[in-house]
């Protein structure tokens, strides 16, 4: 391409509108210059694999489409273009407004002409992108799992290639799978989480991700007697009623489901009164109040 050299051009080869009042002519558009411009633009469009439009069919965006297809516009989060070649990890905005990442499960390296809004192309090629770092565990409260996550269900057959980013984060911490092509996912179903002690000394002797069985801290229950206690509002057991529990007839044949407890006898008649006595909640484990959730890991 060359600068304008036609009659009326300035000394530095630029266009001018001229000045009729002073006799300065406008720059002429020479055929050689216009052809040079046409060839330059047409070559870019054709190099991108596009077919030039014919007169009357121009859409005004062929050059832009060509630049996108050739990777000139390489910024993340741009609108998806079927003409552009994408590399692993790039994020685009689909025609539905959702952002998608070129996950590239099969490690092809690049992709072109594969629409991320087509569910048939997800999540092995494209995957919905929400900005969460691969390997991050999140809490989820719906049985409909989001795209791009695996449940922490202890699966020991997770393919190391298909889920390479989780494997890069976890390694074989949660199981080695078959030892070569698969690995283990965490088993978080029915479990609480606890921060790793990591040398603090509150919960020593554990490695990261180690499972811990439930337990009740060793303790005693103080039960006062009635001796020497005067006044209302103090309750205990009279000394004369303390007996060995293995004595005949004294709680030696308890029934399943029965429990013992203490209560207020505000009116002194030997039966519960005042504040209601609730024996408590009993189960096969020690636990706090809780809500059931699903733990997921970002692919």
């Amino acid at each position: 391409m060359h600068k304008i050299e036609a009659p009326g051009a300035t000394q530095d080869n630029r266009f001018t509108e001229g000045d009729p009042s002073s006799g300065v002519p406008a720059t002429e558009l020479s055929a050689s210059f216009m052809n040079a411009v046409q060839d330059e633009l047409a070559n870019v469009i054709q190099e991108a694999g596009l077919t030039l439009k014919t007169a009357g069919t121009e859409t005004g965006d062929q050059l832009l489409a060509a630049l996108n297809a050739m990777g000139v516009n390489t910024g993340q989060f741009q609108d998806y273009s079927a003409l552009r070649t994408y590399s692993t990890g790039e994020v685009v905005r689909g025609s539905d407004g959702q952002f998608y990442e070129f996950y590239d499960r099969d490690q092809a390296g690049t992709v072109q002409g594969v629409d991320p809004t087509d569910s048939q192309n997800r999540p092995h090629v494209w995957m919905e992108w929400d900005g969460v770092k691969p390997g991050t565990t999140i809490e989820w409260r719906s049985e409909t799992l989001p795209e791009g996550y695996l449940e922490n269900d202890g699966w020991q057959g997770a393919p190391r290639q298909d889920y390479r980013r989780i494997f890069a984060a976890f390694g074989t911490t949660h199981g080695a799978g078959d030892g070569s092509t698969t690995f283990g996912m965490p088993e978080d179903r029915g479990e609480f989480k606890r921060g790793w002690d990591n040398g603090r000394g509150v919960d020593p002797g554990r490695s990261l991700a180690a499972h811990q069985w439930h337990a009740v801290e060793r303790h005693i229950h103080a039960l006062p007697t009635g001796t020497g206690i005067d006044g209302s509002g103090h309750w205990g057991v009279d000394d004369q009623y303390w007996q060995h529990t293995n004595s005949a007839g004294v709680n030696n044949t308890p029934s399943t489901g029965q429990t013992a407890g203490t209560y207020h006898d505000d009116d002194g008649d030997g039966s519960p009164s005042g504040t209601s006595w609730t024996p408590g909640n009993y189960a096969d484990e020690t636990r706090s109040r809780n809500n059931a959730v699903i733990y997921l890991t970002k692919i």
Side-chain angles (χ1 to χ4, degrees), residues 53-81:
K53 301 286 187 178
T54 58
T57 65
E58 301 92 338
T59 55
D61 60 356
Q62 270 204 300
L63 181 59
L64 176 60
L67 293 175
N68 285 336
M70 297 172 71
V72 174
N73 183 9
T74 57
Q76 294 278 54
F77 312 113
Q78 301 296 319
D79 291 343
Y80 167 76
S81 170

Side-chain angles (χ1 to χ4, degrees), residues 1 12 51 102 120 131-132 140 143 146 153 166 168 184 195 222-223 232 236 250 263 282 286:
M1 187 172 178
D12 56 353
T51 301
F102 176 33
Q120 299 299 313
V132 177
W140 190 253
E143 292 186 54
D153 59 1
I166 297 180
L223 185 62
S232 61
V250 182
Y263 56 84
Y282 300 92
T286 301

Side-chain angles (χ1 to χ4, degrees), residues 151-154 186-191 193 295:
E151 182 179 356
N152 292 3
D153 59 1
E187 175 57 281
D188 288 337
R189 295 175 297 177
E191 305 289 357
K193 296 291 174 292
Y295 289 107

Side-chain angles (χ1 to χ4, degrees), residues 9-30:
T10 63
Q11 291 184 350
D12 56 353
N13 302 104
R14 301 180 67 82
F15 290 91
T16 175
E17 296 177 349
D19 184 2
S21 64
S22 60
V24 177
T27 305
E28 296 182 10
L29 292 177
S30 65

